[in-house]
Each structure stands twice: as C-alpha cells, then as structure tokens.
Amino acid sequence: MRHDHLITSKQLSRGDIETVLDYAAELDADPSTVADRHAGTLLGLLFFEPSTRTKMSFETAMKRLGGDVVDMGSIESSSVKKGETLADTVRVIEGYTDALVLRHPKQGAATMASEFVDVPLVNAGDGAGHHPTQTMLDLYTIRENAGLDDLTIGIMGDLKYGRTVHSLAYALTNFDTRQHFISPESLQLPREVVYDLHQRQDGTGIREHDSLEEVLPSLDVLYVTRIQRERFPDENEYQKVAGEYQIDADTLEAASDELTVMHPLPRVDEIAPEIDETDYAAYFQQAHNGVPVRMALLDLLLSDDKRIGGDDDE
Amino acid sequence: MRHDHLITSKQLSRGDIETVLDYAAELDADPSTVADRHAGTLLGLLFFEPSTRTKMSFETAMKRLGGDVVDMGSIESSSVKKGETLADTVRVIEGYTDALVLRHPKQGAATMASEFVDVPLVNAGDGAGHHPTQTMLDLYTIRENAGLDDLTIGIMGDLKYGRTVHSLAYALTNFDTRQHFISPESLQLPREVVYDLHQRQDGTGIREHDSLEEVLPSLDVLYVTRIQRERFPDENEYQKVAGEYQIDADTLEAASDELTVMHPLPRVDEIAPEIDETDYAAYFQQAHNGVPVRMALLDLLLSDDKRIGGDDDE
Amino acid sequence: MRHDHLITSKQLSRGDIETVLDYAAELDADPSTVADRHAGTLLGLLFFEPSTRTKMSFETAMKRLGGDVVDMGSIESSSVKKGETLADTVRVIEGYTDALVLRHPKQGAATMASEFVDVPLVNAGDGAGHHPTQTMLDLYTIRENAGLDDLTIGIMGDLKYGRTVHSLAYALTNFDTRQHFISPESLQLPREVVYDLHQRQDGTGIREHDSLEEVLPSLDVLYVTRIQRERFPDENEYQKVAGEYQIDADTLEAASDELTVMHPLPRVDEIAPEIDETDYAAYFQQAHNGVPVRMALLDLLLSDDKRIGGDDDE
C-alpha cells in the first residue's frame, strides 16, 4: 500500500481493496505459508474503548503471522487515568512495538495519533469516525457470498450513528452496486453522508427507505445493524421502532433464496436465532473473516516489499 | 479421550483419569518433550468471572506446549456489556482459536456453550456446577502424596456450595476410597449429592461428620475448603462456625505424620501459615500441579491421535 | 549479578550498574543476538497498581528475548478480591513462571514477597519505596546524553513523595555528580534522604533550591517530575506551586544548548509540548530505553552464567 497508516477506508482505491481481499483469500485458504513470517514482530494494542471481536481478531491475526502483541490493557489500569495525552501515550508505546492498533472514542483520534508516530498505525474505530478493517472484512464477506459487482445491498438499522455503515457505504461506491438504506426517520443517514455518496457514485445507486418490505425481494445482501436503546429518550418509542427492524424466518419468506444476511455483531435481537442455522446467515462467518483480512492488512503494512501500490509510478 | 469437550469429571472413567494423570506425570518429569508440540495453536480464554490461578495455569500450560492464548479479557471491557448472548460470543471466538476454555457464573453454561461450537471446549467452572480440571489436579496431588487406592480422605468446610468438592467426591468413587465429609450442619453436602455418591460407591465409603476430631487420626488426606462469610446472615454465627473448621499446628497433633493437607486456594484463614513449612502442606504443590495436568488435558483434546479411549472398540 | 532478586537500586554497586548499562547498550545496538535466548521462558507479571509503560516495557523486553509473559491481570479480576495474601499469591504464581515482576502499593512488599519465592523477583515499584529498573533506565539515558561522570544534574518537582527521584539520587552517588534538588518547600526531599545522600557522597555534591533560575545555566541534565494535585489541600496553592515548576521554551533560554531534559512520564503539564521536538527533549527516548535496559536485567537474572559479580572472590 502507498499508505504508512490505515486510517479510513476512504483512502483505499478499488485496486487497493482488491489486492487486500485477494491476499486475504490466499491466507484464508492456506495460512501456513505465513506462520513464521513476522516472528519477533510486536503489535501494540491500544483500546481506549471496550471491544471483544476487533481486539481478539487483531491479536489472533498477528499471532497467526508468527508475531505477538503487547496490550495496553483497559484504561482503568493505565497511565491514561493519570491524565496523559493520547499523543504522549502513542509516542511512548511506539518505542516498544513495530506497529500500533488504536481504538478511541473520539472521532479523529487515529489521524491525530498517526501524526506523532513513525510505525504503521491502524485505526480500529475512532468514535463516529472510521473503522476501515471492519469495512474490509465486510467487503470480503460480501464478495465471498454475492460478489462485489452487480450487487444489490440493503443496509438497515441505525444509519445515523453507525460508523460501520458509513465506511462500508463509502467503500461500496468503488464497485457497481445499488445501495438501499432502510431505517426509521430518526436514524437516517446523515445528510452529508448521503451527499458524499451521491458525489462518489451515480445517484441512481443510492436509495433511502423507511421499510424493508418494498426492497427485500431485490436484495442480494441484507446488512443489519443494531438500534441502540440509549438513542431513544422514550422506551416505548424504542420498542416500536426496534420491532419494525427485526428479522426472523417470517420476514425472510419474501427474500430471494440467495439472500445473504450480515451483521457486524454483537446483536441483541435484530436477528432471530432461528436464522442462525439457515443458509442466509453469514454473520458468524463475517466475524471469522476478521482474521484473514487483518492478517493480510498487517502483513502488507509491516512488509518492506509493500504489495499494494508499492510502485512509485502508480 | 472419546470426548470432544471436557465439561464434567462425571464423564471421565477411571481409565480416562489414569491416562491423564500418567501423562501429566510424564510431562511434569520432562516438559521439554512437548515444548514445541502445539506451535501455532491458539487457545481462547473466556473468563466471565474473576480467576487468578485457573486462568494463569491454563495460559502457562498452553505456552509450555508451544502454543499461545487469546484472552477475551474482563467482561467490563467486552461485548458482553452490550448484551451479547453467550452462544453468540463463543461462536465468534471459536473462529479465532483452536480450542476454548470457559468459566461462567451460571451452572450449565459450559454444556450449553459446547453445543454451539466445533472446537474443543473445556469447562473451567460453571457456577455451582463443575470444574473438572480442578478435580484432575486434585486427584493428581492425592495420588502423588497418598495414592488413590485404599485412601481415607476428609473433606472439610463449605460442602454445600463448593463445586470443587462435589466434583472431587464424584471422581473419587472411581477408586477404593473412604470419604469423610466434615462441615457445620448448615453447610452439609446437598442431599442429592450424598444420594448420588451412595449410588456410585458402596455406602460404607461415605460418612458425614460435624467435627474433625473423631476422624482426623484415620486420615491420609485432609482437603480443606473456605467457608464464605457471605453465606451467613449473621457475623457472629459465621465467626463461631468458621473458627471450628480452622487448622493449625495444635489441631494436627492428633493427625498421622503422613497426613497430606490440601486446599484449592485462595485461603483466608482456614489453614494457619505455621502449617505452610511443614511436611503436611501440599496446597502450593497442588496449585502448581495445575500446569502439568492442564498440559496433559489440552494436549489430549488438541491432538488428532487422541490418547484416551481413542479406540472405537473400547 | 550476585543478587537473586532485584529489589532496590541501593543493592547495586557502580560495577553492577556499569555492567547492566554496557550490556543494555549492546542489546540496543543489536537485539537480534538474543531474539531466541529465552525461548520457552515465562515471566509472571503481578501488577497490583495501574501501570502502562513499566508493564508494557517488561512484556516487550521479555518477548524481545524470545520468552513470553503470564499476566495476573488487574486485581479486580483476581483472587486478591477474595482476600488472598500477597505471600500466597506469589507462592502460587512462582510455580507457573520462571521469574516474577511485582508492583505493589505497599512499601516493602517486594522484599517481603521475595522471601517466599525461589524464582528471581524484580521490584517494579513498591509504593513510596523503590523502583530500581526505572533508575537503571534513567542512568542509561543520562549516560547516553551527558555521561555519568563530571555530571551536573537538576532534579525538580515533587521530591518528597517520588520514589523515582530517591532511587535515582542514591544511584548517582556512585558517580562523580553534582545533584541540585529544586522544589517548593512543602515538597522537599525527606530529611533522612538528604542525610543518606550526604553520607554516601561528599556533601558538596548535594544542594537544595526553591527555584530553577539560579542553577539552570550550569546543568547538563534537568530531570523533571510531576507535582500531584492531590498532594495539596488547596487548589490555589497547587496552581501557584505547579506553575513555578513548569518548563517551556522561554524557561530554557537560560539553559546550555547541551541541556538534556528528562521526565519519567506520564506528564501532565510540567513540560510544554513545544519542547518535544527540540534537541533538549530526551523523555520519549528515556521511556523507550526501558526495553533494552529491562532486557539486560532480565537476561542477567535468568541466566545461569550470571554476568554481574558472579565471582565469589569479588
């Protein structure tokens, strides 16, 4: 990659994305080829917010490459409690490790931090900002199940606050896709995101809906996200809205047999457990794909012979 | 083992137990033979409850086998806070790792979780349920110090709530043992456990007592457990009861010189520190035995050529 | 080293210190020579207090030596909550690992703990007591930047409570140094420390000041520490005092161009960020030096052929 850091999926071209996905597929098929590739390499994990799957899959990915991690631990047990700035924390820890992964509650934290360090830094989520490795594993899962061209995808749930959704929507504009956004009015995509998407893609590719019903039969992929209770001042209002955006076997009777259902997890009750064992369900596979995709990304960032856009002429 | 998961010590036959203990003894004598045996293998640690020694000894065991661990961390820093079910958590994490160790506060959690995963799952304690690896290291320690046949053992303290005690008692019925249970009346073994033990073993092998005095001289092993303050509504009642079940040098004057004193640790004041340096004390050795025993169990679960009951004819 | 444990920098002679610093410099120049030196060796991390850089740099050091760590985790998720004594905790964990690193809020904890264990134990800070590996990395940084002989050093800030400062001051008496202590009156060095320092070094080498101004031009090194708000009953009093002991570009106009500014970190606002990019700043380098210095110390403690004072005649 031409990038020393990975901060946003916006920075990745279609060519970059395809190189990562192709390489991830290679590693997924045979991880043994890289089992010792980064022996002696240490990845620093800086998670300023709770995370299970993102953190564990980065750790797994690094170890499957032969390397190891050094984890800052929870902020309760760290110097952050003593009032240290993020700029100081990352400058100290970069001296211990060969690359950094950062999750932080503040939007823009990864960009700011990356300006202070010389080792590669990967953004693992910065508040309402970006989460590019999640986007890459989403793309990988979509490609595995439905292909990335001539794709009709529905993205449903909390579209206002979900960074996962925004990143994915931006990345999909690199491909020949029709994106349908399904949400209650109060949780629609921010207007500036809609504007950007229209700029990046022929406007006919982007549609907004307040119900799944009209669009479900045409979908190749349905990407469901969690509607957070705490967004609603009134419990009744939440119950009403959330109930309309839940998926069960009845809902899917109107869907194509080929439909792929995805979810970034954790879910609460957006998808009924009865879907788990059906061929629709790709959300556990999606979580598992975090490992080969992050292996590919880490290897590309850590290797001198960078495989994406390494040619200066490009 | 014929078992893909290790949930309860009830599932282990005498032959299984002896195979594990023999193999643990081999590894204890010379761990170097397996120092690289599971290079590249990752064990997922899912501890939904605090633990020091169980978690650290699993981690140590896996690393002494050449493998590594990926730790979910405390539930405060995980997706569990976001309302994820245990079934979802284990299905995600099994995609990262080659085996799972689960501790959970709810009885039956390990059995439920094991139904959702394809990788081997080891129960490291499920509430008032089972803790089979603790039982195996207890058996290993008893065998090292007193042998497992023609054994007279006293098990003392909180016999009502202690899962450690129930598991051990069940496992000991596979051997020629006389079990004496010593506790205040309010903390006696549950009646159904007594019933089960009588079913599994000639009834004359099981006796209950409310005082150590009458039985101490006959014991080969005295297994002491903690009486938890929080079980008693009244502090005075606790003080009175707890005081009667504490061991010090005076207490042990009536014991055999060959007596072995065990405790699953942590202790509060059930055993006076003056015992630590005597030949009676086996509780630190017992804790250390967690490593070779867990090495043996993990190796057996992770190896294709399973060494216990691998023969279909058996 | 003649020492099985590393508890205080007072126990180290000038010869010991130089051996460690020389070896650290060797490892700093080429860590690859020891990349597999301690393969299979496990270091137990017992941090009973929050720490970022100390804990992460011990972990990094051990992994750069080819070994691995087993971490007790935060005390909230450990048996300490169940009332276990430190003596019991260390005796259990020494059975899992080949060496221990202990941080504890109580002064004397490391000495006490070391009496119960057979594996090497390193004190990583015991309350207001000692923190010898911090002292060694401070000495290493001073030597790299200004040399340890014919050195004029100013040590500024909270000199009353800072264990880092006391340890460093003691260690510097082994060398030809002039130490200037700069602090508000309420945070002066404890009288017994001043007395000890005079005993250990020609009295003319130790001076106390309440202002940096008079001494700054003569300094080779300025070692700044944090003044903790919580030491002051009155917020106004804190603001007044803290403001006088802050360093910025204006302050340093009176300094030598060769001045080296150090800080054990984390800082709050004792050193203005504008200093970070100047040649004065050595505090991030100082933090990074924790790795080669701790690699050297761990290797010396773990190796049979102990390289410091191994000769009985010495």
Side-chain angles (χ1 to χ4, degrees), chain A residues 50-54 56-57 59-60 63-64 67-68 74 103 226 265-268 276-277 284 287-288 291, chain B residues 40-42 68-72 76-84 88 91-98:
Chain A
S51 160
T52 301
R53 69 207 69 250
T54 300
M56 289 182 87
S57 79
E59 181 170 349
T60 301
K63 290 179 172 179
R64 297 277 187 218
D68 206 340
S74 68
R103 166 166 292 186
R226 188 159 58 103
L265 302 182
R267 66 174 159 177
V268 180
D276 297 359
E277 300 308 315
F284 291 116
H288 300 170
V291 176
Chain B
T41 301
L42 296 179
D68 206 340
V69 303
V70 181
D71 184 355
M72 185 183 72
E76 277 68 36
S77 65
S78 80
S79 290
V80 176
K81 265 185 65 181
K82 301 177 189 162
E84 186 169 66
D88 276 15
R91 273 183 289 186
V92 167
I93 297 175
E94 76 154 335
Y96 304 155
T97 60
D98 303 294

Side-chain angles (χ1 to χ4, degrees), chain A residues 84-156:
Chain A
E84 186 169 66
T85 65
L86 177 60
D88 276 15
T89 301
V90 296
R91 273 183 289 185
V92 168
I93 296 175
E94 77 154 334
Y96 304 155
T97 60
D98 303 295
L100 297 174
V101 174
L102 175 69
R103 166 166 292 186
H104 198 278
K106 292 229 178 89
Q107 189 165 359
T111 302
M112 188 279 277
S114 71
E115 287 161 8
F116 285 94
V117 297
D118 292 323
V119 301
L121 183 145
V122 180
N123 182 8
D126 60 328
H130 297 277
H131 190 6
T133 64
Q134 175 72 42
T135 300
M136 295 302 278
L137 74 89
D138 287 343
L139 294 171
Y140 183 83
T141 308
I142 293 168
R143 195 173 77 161
E144 266 192 323
N145 287 276
L148 273 168
D149 277 306
D150 191 21
L151 171 76
T152 303
I153 184 170
I155 302 183
M156 182 169 89

Side-chain angles (χ1 to χ4, degrees), chain B residues 10-298:
Chain B
K10 279 187 190 172
Q11 80 189 93
L12 298 172
S13 69
R14 177 174 175 143
D16 285 340
I17 292 169
E18 287 179 338
T19 305
V20 174
L21 300 193
D22 288 349
Y23 187 36
E26 241 181 77
L27 297 179
D28 206 0
D30 184 7
S32 71
T33 57
V34 290
D36 294 316
R37 187 166 165 80
H38 291 285
T41 301
L42 296 179
L43 178 67
L45 302 180
L46 288 77
F47 280 74
F48 288 83
E49 271 192 334
S51 161
T52 301
R53 69 207 70 248
T54 301
K55 187 170 161 186
M56 290 183 86
S57 78
F58 267 111
E59 180 169 350
T60 300
M62 194 62 207
K63 291 179 171 179
R64 298 277 187 218
L65 290 167
D68 206 340
V69 303
V70 181
D71 184 355
M72 185 183 72
S74 69
I75 56 168
E76 277 68 36
S77 65
S78 80
S79 290
V80 176
K81 265 185 65 181
K82 301 177 189 162
E84 186 169 66
T85 64
L86 178 60
D88 276 15
T89 301
V90 296
R91 273 183 289 186
V92 167
I93 297 175
E94 76 154 335
Y96 304 155
T97 60
D98 303 294
L100 297 173
V101 174
L102 174 69
R103 166 166 293 187
H104 198 277
K106 292 227 178 89
Q107 189 164 0
T111 302
M112 187 279 277
S114 71
E115 288 161 7
F116 286 94
V117 298
D118 291 324
V119 301
L121 183 145
V122 180
N123 182 8
D126 60 328
H130 296 277
H131 189 5
T133 64
Q134 176 72 42
T135 301
M136 295 301 278
L137 74 88
D138 288 342
L139 293 171
Y140 183 81
T141 308
I142 292 168
R143 194 172 78 161
E144 265 192 323
N145 285 276
L148 273 167
D149 277 306
D150 192 19
L151 170 76
T152 303
I153 185 170
I155 303 183
M156 182 169 88
D158 177 355
L159 307 182
K160 185 172 182 183
Y161 299 100
R163 66 184 163 208
T164 299
V165 161
H166 305 167
S167 287
L168 178 60
Y170 281 114
L172 284 171
T173 60
N174 286 299
F175 301 88
D176 176 17
T177 55
R178 287 163 298 286
Q179 301 192 50
H180 296 278
F181 297 96
I182 306 129
S183 71
E185 201 183 333
S186 60
L187 296 175
Q188 280 182 344
L189 281 181
R191 289 308 90 190
E192 67 273 20
V193 173
V194 175
Y195 178 81
D196 280 358
L197 292 174
H198 276 291
Q199 295 297 311
R200 292 170 65 107
Q201 190 168 42
D202 170 7
T204 60
I206 311 291
R207 295 270 174 78
E208 297 182 84
H209 312 262
D210 63 5
S211 154
L212 178 62
E213 202 178 351
E214 63 194 45
V215 70
L216 178 59
S218 70
L219 299 180
D220 301 311
V221 172
L222 175 60
Y223 193 107
V224 182
T225 67
R226 190 159 56 105
I227 292 179
Q228 295 184 56
R229 193 180 299 257
E230 56 269 33
R231 302 293 186 207
F232 291 82
D234 183 307
E235 175 72 17
N236 289 332
E237 188 63 19
Y238 164 74
Q239 291 296 351
K240 203 187 92 192
V241 163
E244 281 178 41
Y245 297 88
Q246 286 169 356
I247 299 297
D248 59 19
D250 281 352
T251 319
L252 296 186
E253 279 184 8
S256 153
D257 285 353
E258 304 298 316
L259 177 72
T260 296
V261 176
M262 295 173 61
H263 190 296
L265 302 180
R267 66 173 158 179
V268 181
D269 48 15
E270 304 85 57
I271 301 176
E274 67 192 13
I275 307 297
D276 296 359
E277 301 307 314
T278 69
D279 288 342
Y280 298 121
Y283 27 94
F284 291 116
Q285 177 198 348
Q286 181 185 357
H288 300 170
N289 286 338
V291 176
V293 168
R294 291 182 172 113
M295 287 174 75
L297 284 164
L298 288 171

Side-chain angles (χ1 to χ4, degrees), chain A residues 79 82 84 92 96, chain C residues 53-54 131 134-135 137-138 155-156 162-165 168 222-226 261-267 270-271 282-284 286-287:
Chain A
S79 290
K82 300 178 189 162
E84 186 169 66
V92 168
Y96 304 155
Chain C
R53 69 208 68 247
T54 301
H131 189 5
Q134 175 72 42
T135 300
L137 74 88
D138 287 343
I155 303 182
M156 184 169 87
R163 65 182 164 210
T164 298
V165 161
L168 177 60
L222 175 59
Y223 193 108
V224 183
T225 66
R226 187 158 59 104
V261 177
M262 295 173 60
H263 190 297
L265 302 181
R267 66 173 159 178
E270 304 85 53
I271 301 177
Y283 29 92
F284 291 116
Q286 180 185 358

Side-chain angles (χ1 to χ4, degrees), chain A residues 62-87:
Chain A
M62 194 63 209
K63 290 179 172 179
R64 297 277 187 218
L65 290 167
D68 206 340
V69 302
V70 181
D71 183 356
M72 186 183 70
S74 68
I75 56 169
E76 278 67 37
S77 65
S78 82
S79 290
V80 175
K81 265 184 65 181
K82 300 178 189 162
E84 186 169 66
T85 65
L86 177 60

Side-chain angles (χ1 to χ4, degrees), chain A residues 4-312:
Chain A
D4 296 325
H5 306 296
L6 179 59
I7 306 298
T8 157
S9 52
K10 281 189 189 172
Q11 79 188 94
L12 297 173
S13 69
R14 177 174 175 142
D16 284 341
I17 292 169
E18 288 179 337
T19 306
V20 175
L21 301 193
D22 289 349
Y23 188 35
E26 240 180 78
L27 296 179
D28 207 1
D30 184 7
S32 71
T33 57
V34 291
D36 294 315
R37 187 166 165 78
H38 291 285
T41 301
L42 295 180
L43 178 67
L45 303 179
L46 289 76
F47 279 74
F48 289 83
E49 272 193 334
S51 160
T52 301
R53 69 207 69 250
T54 300
K55 188 170 159 183
M56 289 182 87
S57 79
F58 267 111
E59 181 170 349
T60 301
M62 194 63 209
K63 290 179 172 179
R64 297 277 187 218
L65 290 167
D68 206 340
V69 302
V70 181
D71 183 356
M72 186 183 70
S74 68
I75 56 169
E76 278 67 37
S77 65
S78 82
S79 290
V80 175
K81 265 184 65 181
K82 300 178 189 162
E84 186 169 66
T85 65
L86 177 60
D88 276 15
T89 301
V90 296
R91 273 183 289 185
V92 168
I93 296 175
E94 77 154 334
Y96 304 155
T97 60
D98 303 295
L100 297 174
V101 174
L102 175 69
R103 166 166 292 186
H104 198 278
K106 292 229 178 89
Q107 189 165 359
T111 302
M112 188 279 277
S114 71
E115 287 161 8
F116 285 94
V117 297
D118 292 323
V119 301
L121 183 145
V122 180
N123 182 8
D126 60 328
H130 297 277
H131 190 6
T133 64
Q134 175 72 42
T135 300
M136 295 302 278
L137 74 89
D138 287 343
L139 294 171
Y140 183 83
T141 308
I142 293 168
R143 195 173 77 161
E144 266 192 323
N145 287 276
L148 273 168
D149 277 306
D150 191 21
L151 171 76
T152 303
I153 184 170
I155 302 183
M156 182 169 89
D158 177 355
L159 308 181
K160 184 171 183 184
Y161 298 100
R163 64 182 166 211
T164 298
V165 161
H166 305 168
S167 287
L168 177 60
Y170 281 114
L172 285 171
T173 61
N174 286 299
F175 301 88
D176 176 18
T177 55
R178 288 163 298 287
Q179 301 192 51
H180 295 279
F181 296 96
I182 306 127
S183 72
E185 201 184 334
S186 61
L187 295 176
Q188 280 182 345
L189 279 181
R191 291 306 91 190
E192 67 274 19
V193 174
V194 175
Y195 177 82
D196 280 358
L197 292 173
H198 277 289
Q199 295 297 312
R200 293 171 65 107
Q201 189 167 41
D202 171 7
T204 59
I206 311 291
R207 295 271 174 79
E208 296 183 85
H209 311 262
D210 63 5
S211 154
L212 177 61
E213 203 177 349
E214 64 193 43
V215 71
L216 179 59
S218 70
L219 298 181
D220 301 311
V221 172
L222 173 61
Y223 192 107
V224 183
T225 67
R226 188 159 58 103
I227 291 180
Q228 294 183 57
R229 191 181 300 257
E230 56 269 31
R231 303 292 186 208
F232 291 83
D234 182 306
E235 175 71 18
N236 290 332
E237 188 63 19
Y238 163 76
Q239 291 295 352
K240 203 186 91 193
V241 164
E244 281 178 40
Y245 297 88
Q246 286 169 356
I247 300 297
D248 58 19
D250 282 351
T251 319
L252 296 187
E253 279 183 9
S256 153
D257 285 352
E258 304 298 316
L259 177 73
T260 295
V261 177
M262 294 173 60
H263 190 297
L265 302 182
R267 66 174 159 177
V268 180
D269 49 16
E270 304 86 55
I271 301 177
E274 66 193 13
I275 308 297
D276 297 359
E277 300 308 315
T278 70
D279 288 342
Y280 298 121
Y283 29 93
F284 291 116
Q285 176 197 347
Q286 181 184 358
H288 300 170
N289 286 338
V291 176
V293 168
R294 290 182 172 114
M295 287 173 73
L297 285 163
L298 288 171
D299 187 30
L300 293 164
L301 284 167
L302 285 164
S303 299
D304 289 335
D305 53 329
K306 287 175 184 162
R307 299 174 44 136
I308 311 184
D311 193 328
D312 283 340

